[in-house]
Amino acid sequence: NAGVTQTPKFQVLKTGQSMTLQCAQDMNHNSMYWYRQDPGMGLRLIYYSASEGTTDKGEVPNGYNVSRLNKREFSLRLESAAPSQTSVYFCASRPKLRTNYNQPQHFGDGTRLSIL
Amino acid sequence: AQSVTQLDSQVPVFEEAPVELRCNYSSSVSVYLFWYVQYPNQGLQLLLKYLSGSTLVKGINGFEAEFNKSQTSFHLRKPSVHISDTAEYFCAAYFGNEKLTFGTGTRLTIIP
């Protein structure tokens, strides 16, 4: 099925370890996003990429880096994981239509990350 | 500052009863509003959207929402809920830029 694919689905890390969360979309969307979801806080934007070759910080970027590898792929890297980064991470994408820029975002199923 | 507020963190409702989930926003610019649903251990799925035009918006699974500019609200309603509607519901908005701002979510629990 077409959509947003995230890997891995689950991961357990030790404090200080690094890892990269992968995201790919096959809908030819221009914009891609990374969010974290924590209980009682909704979804908070970590980083986004409005188009291939550009990235910008969101609400909670500290401790993360991103790479927009090509139009399809947008990865999120934790260089030195901390327990405060235990969360569920969602990737999303959306088209940019000439008729209306405010199209909804499409979400992946998430990566559940625990840092011990 | 622009924001989205969902005042009810949890809403219990008996099966086949009506439900309203409240969403209010604060903005001095044009706003585009969405409701998403998240079933357990899944991603977010779009229920409905308001971009322009008619203020009453119909979505999937029998849900609808009404955009009220004077009250800065976008409440979600369903006339008769089912067990399968048990999920968390998020209101979200674009405030004239690339970033989607989310409310903190409302957990809807259906009581048999």
Side-chain angles (χ1 to χ4, degrees):
Chain A
N1 289 341
V4 179
T5 303
Q6 292 185 235
T7 55
K9 295 190 185 304
F10 303 92
Q11 185 71 48
V12 178
L13 293 178
K14 295 181 179 179
T15 298
Q17 286 185 316
S18 62
M19 81 161 294
T20 300
L21 280 61
Q22 306 288 351
C23 175
Q25 52 89 12
D26 58 5
M27 297 173 284
N28 201 34
H29 287 173
N30 300 91
S31 303
M32 298 186 73
Y33 308 81
W34 276 106
Y35 295 89
R36 60 177 291 172
Q37 182 181 24
D38 302 291
M41 302 189 75
L43 276 78
R44 293 181 292 167
L45 183 64
I46 304 171
Y47 271 93
Y48 68 100
S49 171
S51 61
E52 186 178 353
T54 67
T55 59
D56 285 285
K57 294 178 180 180
E59 184 183 352
V60 288
N62 291 344
Y64 305 95
N65 286 301
V66 290
S67 295
R68 182 74 183 266
L69 305 171
N70 48 55
K71 192 171 186 180
R72 290 186 64 247
E73 298 171 289
F74 188 39
S75 62
L76 178 72
R77 183 162 178 83
L78 287 69
E79 290 290 352
S80 179
S84 61
Q85 295 177 304
T86 293
S87 187
V88 182
Y89 291 85
F90 287 100
C91 179
S93 70
R94 73 158 183 168
K96 269 189 179 175
L97 305 179
R98 278 177 288 179
T99 51
N100 190 318
Y101 286 99
N102 299 291
Q103 293 300 311
Q105 296 180 13
H106 300 251
F107 286 81
D109 286 337
T111 294
R112 284 151 183 81
L113 181 62
S114 293
I115 300 163
L116 307 177
Chain B
Q2 292 139 353
S3 63
V4 175
T5 302
Q6 293 179 250
L7 288 174
D8 304 310
S9 59
Q10 297 188 54
V11 173
V13 180
F14 285 102
E15 193 172 12
E16 298 184 4
V19 68
E20 178 180 84
L21 305 183
R22 296 182 295 167
C23 173
N24 288 87
Y25 66 90
S26 173
S27 177
S28 57
V29 300
S30 296
V31 62
Y32 303 89
L33 294 153
F34 308 87
W35 275 99
Y36 284 88
V37 60
Q38 184 181 33
Y39 298 106
N41 298 315
Q42 293 187 25
L44 277 71
Q45 179 181 354
L46 182 69
L47 268 180
L48 49 79
K49 61 185 179 184
Y50 173 76
L51 300 183
S52 64
S54 173
T55 57
L56 184 62
V57 180
K58 293 189 183 299
I60 62 171
N61 301 341
F63 283 94
E64 64 180 30
E66 185 166 13
F67 174 62
N68 188 319
K69 189 173 182 179
S70 62
Q71 297 188 8
T72 61
S73 67
F74 190 55
H75 301 332
L76 182 70
R77 301 185 181 99
K78 186 170 183 178
S80 176
V81 296
H82 301 112
I83 291 289
S84 59
D85 293 322
T86 296
E88 189 151 21
Y89 293 79
F90 291 95
C91 183
Y94 287 123
F95 296 112
N97 59 34
E98 181 79 27
K99 304 174 188 179
L100 192 59
T101 300
F102 283 87
T104 52
T106 298
R107 188 172 300 276
L108 177 62
T109 301
I110 309 303
I111 305 165

